[in-house]
Amino acid sequence: MARRKQAVTIKHVAADAGVSLQTVSRVINKEPNVRPEMMARVQESIAKLGYVPSIAAQRMSGSRSYLIMALNDRERTIEGWKSREGTDWVDQMLLGGMLTCAEHGYRLIVELVDTHSDHIERELSAAIAALQPDGVLLTPPHSANPEIIALLDAAGIEMARIGSLTPGPGFRLTMGDDLAAAMATRHLIELGHTRIGFIAGSLEYELSGWRVDGWRAAMNEAGLSTEGMLGQGDFSIESGRICAPQLIDAGATAIIASNDQMAMATLEVARARRLSVPGDLSIVSFDDTPVVRFAHPPLTAIEQPIAAVTARAVELIIGARSCRAALDTPVVVTPSLTVRESTAPPRS
Amino acid sequence: MARRKQAVTIKHVAADAGVSLQTVSRVINKEPNVRPEMMARVQESIAKLGYVPSIAAQRMSGSRSYLIMALNDRERTIEGWKSREGTDWVDQMLLGGMLTCAEHGYRLIVELVDTHSDHIERELSAAIAALQPDGVLLTPPHSANPEIIALLDAAGIEMARIGSLTPGPGFRLTMGDDLAAAMATRHLIELGHTRIGFIAGSLEYELSGWRVDGWRAAMNEAGLSTEGMLGQGDFSIESGRICAPQLIDAGATAIIASNDQMAMATLEVARARRLSVPGDLSIVSFDDTPVVRFAHPPLTAIEQPIAAVTARAVELIIGARSCRAALDTPVVVTPSLTVRESTAPPRS
DNA sequence: ATGAAAGCGCTAACAA
DNA sequence: TTGTTAGCGCTTTCAT
């Protein structure tokens, strides 16, 4: 195979339209100072020749790379894919991120990095040097990682930190974790529950705390005690197996788990104890993943708008040059609660 | 933000090591004709400065882009993501493809294109012109699309056609669909079934035919008739709802569905008719996706080695320059059967 | 409003 | 075995 060259370049277009390279470039980049008639002529040639700019060349000459990198935790992601249990975080990111990127002529590229690794900086620097993305989507627990943030900031790369409110560079977005927890709690309160347990997620994630806050706020608001009702999990199914029994023993008639794994563990524990769900125990999951939907009974769950928040993040990054306003105020994409068959009034 | 330039370039490395740019380039590309001591010196500088080549620049100068594009059907993929029912084809591709790419310094970039569209050529050309990938992973039904194949071939881009045996340029890989179907059929025969129905997938996919062939072969081998036992589906849940009753009415005591959706439809039909599974009807699915695993009962299923075949495809593309041998013989990655609770001996 | 010239970081081709 | 030269396709100066 010969040295592969671009089929149609800006030169061809310029020649065809009878203008300079520069003018074509201006049209491509929608720059001002081009007469409408010139523009029309150039665009006609572009369409005729089927010209598409090479992002490699664009990047080379110092402009954008039209690439956005989505950083995810390697271990967790691979584990999810291998287990084939329907962990669809990446899918939802792709759904929201890829499509939004495509709308603006960008591409989304998924990158996995180890959170707990001393060479995280090297890994990330390498990815940045190789790809030179215009922006990076940071997901928990990377979103608040000071090393990563500093590195990206120093490199002058836009970033959207999903699930972090830690001040610093970059856009911050959340999926209203406190709201969601409160929403779930109120749903249970309305059903008549007074002993509502909550299994928290790993403290490494900021959002774990917000969820606890939301639950506690809703409980206080209703004048209910949270005494003995908080279990400290870490998002793993094992931690759910440990926390659920404790809460049940403490008299919980309903349990909200901070993710799907812990919710499934809770369901498992209930089954082992021959407690009917939702008869004896109501359960709410904090992820509306396939596992949760296909559980028996299907679980009432908080639906986190992962696709929506990712789409928003991409938009912020792409529009970063123009509107820096959003930098100060975090963006909140509101979650929703899907009531299924795992929640009901407590046995009186 | 100032014009973003590469932090460390080949120039810095060359200066640091006291050699020419070319020598550094040779070391990076592991070319021969470099004295070990030179190589060591250069590599030391590379490590010291944390240099990583810019793929944009590499691409510009006519070498590889270190990018591999995975082409998937837009509509089907998006639908899968939106439904959140655990369609994990893309996940499995990422699992096998991304990781293998990473091992070789490549990146995988997912691209969605409309199968049924008159502008498929334009869409694809645009993606190629923009990204200039070194290779493309074609999935059904794109794998046998003559327009796509011709386009890529003309552009001199390596391609791996997963799920196609149609002769032509590019590597061809399958997941042993005939074997898999035969495997499932034999499993049922061993259980004592003689009336084994098969719901075929859309004829637009080559593999649909192979699966039917495998089933028919296994039936013939055992001296069983396939008369009235073939239903023509199209991979949709609706088609499953239509075919399953027909097969049951024709006396089938077991049904093999060509994908998870149709298998779930069959389960649904059985339930509606108050047939117990596997008591009255055994069911085998041709996709071991989450839906199937979480079904009640969990379905016996063919596990298609999507991750493995994708990994293999990536390897072929990356190594394409050296070994063109694999071009003639299709690669078959063998599938396996996971027996769960939806298959049992027929009621006698 | 348009064009010409200079480079971005890297590699292929050639020369030494 | 090593270094030198000339681009790749595009965008940034800077002229006009």
Side-chain angles (χ1 to χ4, degrees):
Chain A
M1 171 180 45
R3 172 191 247 259
R4 187 150 40 77
K5 298 200 297 187
Q6 189 81 338
V8 182
T9 75
I10 199 172
K11 272 187 190 164
H12 300 118
V13 178
D16 185 85
V19 298
S20 73
L21 300 181
Q22 202 36 245
T23 306
V24 179
S25 174
R26 286 193 180 103
V27 172
I28 295 166
N29 297 295
K30 301 190 182 72
E31 280 172 29
N33 299 344
V34 187
R35 263 183 307 162
E37 63 179 89
M38 279 271 108
M39 187 151 138
R41 214 160 84 203
V42 171
Q43 274 171 336
E44 196 181 325
S45 295
I46 289 177
K48 191 173 82 187
L49 303 175
Y51 166 76
V52 177
S54 148
I55 67 163
Q58 294 190 133
R59 169 60 207 121
M60 275 304 296
S61 49
S63 94
R64 309 184 175 205
S65 65
Y66 294 96
L67 251 33
I68 290 179
M69 214 167 81
L71 236 56
N72 284 281
D73 184 57
R74 171 178 282 126
E75 204 185 339
R76 192 173 284 277
T77 304
I78 292 180
E79 200 182 287
W81 285 338
K82 283 199 175 151
S83 73
R84 298 192 76 161
E85 292 196 344
T87 320
D88 62 352
W89 170 276
V90 175
D91 289 3
Q92 296 303 306
M93 284 198 79
L94 287 172
L95 177 57
M98 264 187 57
L99 299 189
T100 309
C101 277
E103 279 170 23
H104 300 265
Y106 280 68
R107 319 263 156 180
L108 189 71
I109 196 157
V110 177
E111 190 83 15
L112 306 181
V113 299
D114 284 320
T115 312
H116 304 291
S117 128
D118 47 343
H119 52 262
I120 189 168
E121 290 199 53
R122 237 187 311 137
E123 241 188 325
L124 185 54
S125 307
I128 289 174
L131 253 25
Q132 304 183 151
D134 290 336
V136 173
L137 258 39
L138 256 31
T139 56
H142 300 313
S143 338
N145 185 316
E147 289 183 83
I148 296 181
I149 297 176
L151 189 68
L152 291 174
D153 192 39
I157 296 177
E158 301 294 340
M159 66 188 115
R161 298 193 275 124
I162 298 176
S164 172
L165 290 176
T166 305
F171 299 104
R172 291 169 295 164
L173 303 97
T174 80
M175 297 187 270
D177 296 85
D178 48 349
L179 280 177
M183 207 180 284
T185 309
R186 284 195 205 106
H187 164 64
L188 292 167
I189 292 173
E190 277 163 22
L191 287 174
H193 291 273
T194 56
R195 297 294 284 166
I196 303 171
F198 193 93
I199 306 181
S202 164
L203 294 173
E204 193 186 357
Y205 293 67
E206 289 175 62
L207 48 80
S208 294
W210 306 332
R211 292 178 186 178
V212 172
D213 293 345
W215 161 72
R216 212 189 292 271
M219 291 293 274
N220 288 341
E221 176 188 282
L224 298 174
S225 162
T226 55
E227 187 68 35
M229 288 289 103
L230 179 64
Q232 182 57 55
D234 64 2
F235 290 134
S236 72
I237 194 151
E238 290 77 19
S239 72
R241 289 189 187 120
I242 295 170
C243 294
Q246 294 169 352
L247 297 177
I248 294 171
D249 289 340
T253 58
I255 292 179
I256 302 172
S258 286
N259 78 335
D260 55 353
Q261 293 295 312
M262 300 193 296
M264 292 306 288
T266 304
L267 181 59
E268 189 186 297
V269 167
R271 193 164 294 145
R273 292 191 169 206
R274 311 216 165 271
L275 293 176
S276 88
V277 174
D280 302 310
L281 184 70
S282 285
I283 300 178
V284 179
S285 162
F286 227 101
D287 279 310
D288 192 24
T289 49
V291 222
V292 167
R293 298 176 169 222
F294 296 137
H296 278 252
L299 304 188
T300 290
I302 290 293
E303 191 201 330
Q304 298 184 63
I306 302 170
V309 85
T310 308
R312 196 77 195 85
V314 166
E315 280 170 358
L316 287 172
I317 284 179
I318 292 176
R321 317 183 146 191
S322 35
C323 70
R324 310 220 56 98
L327 274 172
D328 307 317
T329 333
V331 174
V332 179
V333 179
T334 53
S336 57
L337 180 76
T338 301
V339 177
R340 296 211 180 82
E341 300 158 38
S342 67
T343 47
R347 261 199 227 299
S348 47
Chain B
M1 172 181 42
R3 173 190 245 261
R4 188 151 38 78
K5 296 200 296 187
Q6 188 81 337
V8 182
T9 75
I10 200 172
K11 273 189 189 163
H12 300 119
V13 177
D16 184 85
V19 298
S20 75
L21 300 181
Q22 197 42 245
T23 305
V24 179
S25 173
R26 286 192 181 104
V27 172
I28 294 166
N29 297 296
K30 300 190 182 69
E31 279 173 30
N33 299 344
V34 186
R35 264 183 305 162
E37 63 180 87
M38 279 271 108
M39 189 153 135
R41 214 161 83 202
V42 171
Q43 275 172 337
E44 195 180 327
S45 295
I46 288 177
K48 192 173 82 186
L49 303 176
Y51 166 77
V52 175
S54 148
I55 68 163
Q58 294 190 132
R59 168 58 206 119
M60 277 304 296
S61 50
S63 92
R64 311 183 173 206
S65 66
Y66 294 97
L67 250 34
I68 290 180
M69 212 168 80
L71 236 56
N72 285 280
D73 184 58
R74 170 177 285 125
E75 204 184 337
R76 194 173 283 277
T77 304
I78 292 179
E79 199 181 287
W81 286 337
K82 283 198 176 153
S83 72
R84 298 192 75 160
E85 292 196 344
T87 319
D88 61 352
W89 170 276
V90 175
D91 289 0
Q92 297 303 306
M93 285 199 79
L94 287 172
L95 177 57
M98 263 188 57
L99 299 188
T100 309
C101 276
E103 279 170 24
H104 300 266
Y106 280 68
R107 319 263 157 182
L108 189 72
I109 198 156
V110 177
E111 191 83 14
L112 306 181
V113 300
D114 284 321
T115 312
H116 304 292
S117 126
D118 46 344
H119 52 263
I120 189 168
E121 291 199 53
R122 238 187 311 136
E123 241 189 324
L124 186 54
S125 307
I128 288 174
L131 253 24
Q132 305 185 147
D134 291 335
V136 173
L137 259 38
L138 255 32
T139 57
H142 300 312
S143 339
N145 185 316
E147 289 184 83
I148 296 181
I149 296 176
L151 189 67
L152 292 174
D153 192 39
I157 296 177
E158 301 293 341
M159 65 189 115
R161 297 193 275 124
I162 298 175
S164 173
L165 289 176
T166 305
F171 300 104
R172 291 169 294 163
L173 302 97
T174 82
M175 297 188 270
D177 296 86
D178 47 349
L179 279 176
M183 207 180 284
T185 309
R186 285 195 203 105
H187 163 64
L188 292 167
I189 292 174
E190 277 163 22
L191 287 174
H193 292 273
T194 56
R195 296 294 284 163
I196 302 171
F198 193 93
I199 305 180
S202 165
L203 294 173
E204 192 185 359
Y205 292 68
E206 288 175 62
L207 49 79
S208 293
W210 307 332
R211 293 179 186 178
V212 172
D213 294 345
W215 161 72
R216 213 188 292 272
M219 290 295 273
N220 287 342
E221 177 188 280
L224 298 174
S225 163
T226 55
E227 187 68 33
M229 288 289 104
L230 180 62
Q232 183 56 56
D234 64 1
F235 290 134
S236 72
I237 193 151
E238 290 77 19
S239 71
R241 289 189 187 123
I242 294 170
C243 294
Q246 295 170 352
L247 297 176
I248 294 171
D249 289 340
T253 58
I255 292 178
I256 302 173
S258 287
N259 78 336
D260 54 352
Q261 293 295 311
M262 299 193 296
M264 291 306 288
T266 304
L267 181 60
E268 188 186 297
V269 167
R271 192 165 294 146
R273 291 189 170 208
R274 311 218 166 269
L275 293 176
S276 88
V277 174
D280 302 311
L281 184 71
S282 285
I283 300 178
V284 179
S285 163
F286 228 100
D287 279 310
D288 192 25
T289 49
V291 220
V292 166
R293 299 176 168 221
F294 297 136
H296 278 255
L299 304 188
T300 289
I302 291 293
E303 190 201 330
Q304 298 184 65
I306 303 170
V309 86
T310 308
R312 194 79 196 81
V314 166
E315 279 169 0
L316 287 172
I317 284 179
I318 293 177
R321 318 185 145 191
S322 35
C323 70
R324 310 220 57 96
L327 274 173
D328 307 318
T329 333
V331 173
V332 179
V333 179
T334 52
S336 56
L337 181 76
T338 301
V339 177
R340 296 212 180 82
E341 300 159 38
S342 68
T343 47
R347 260 199 227 301
S348 46

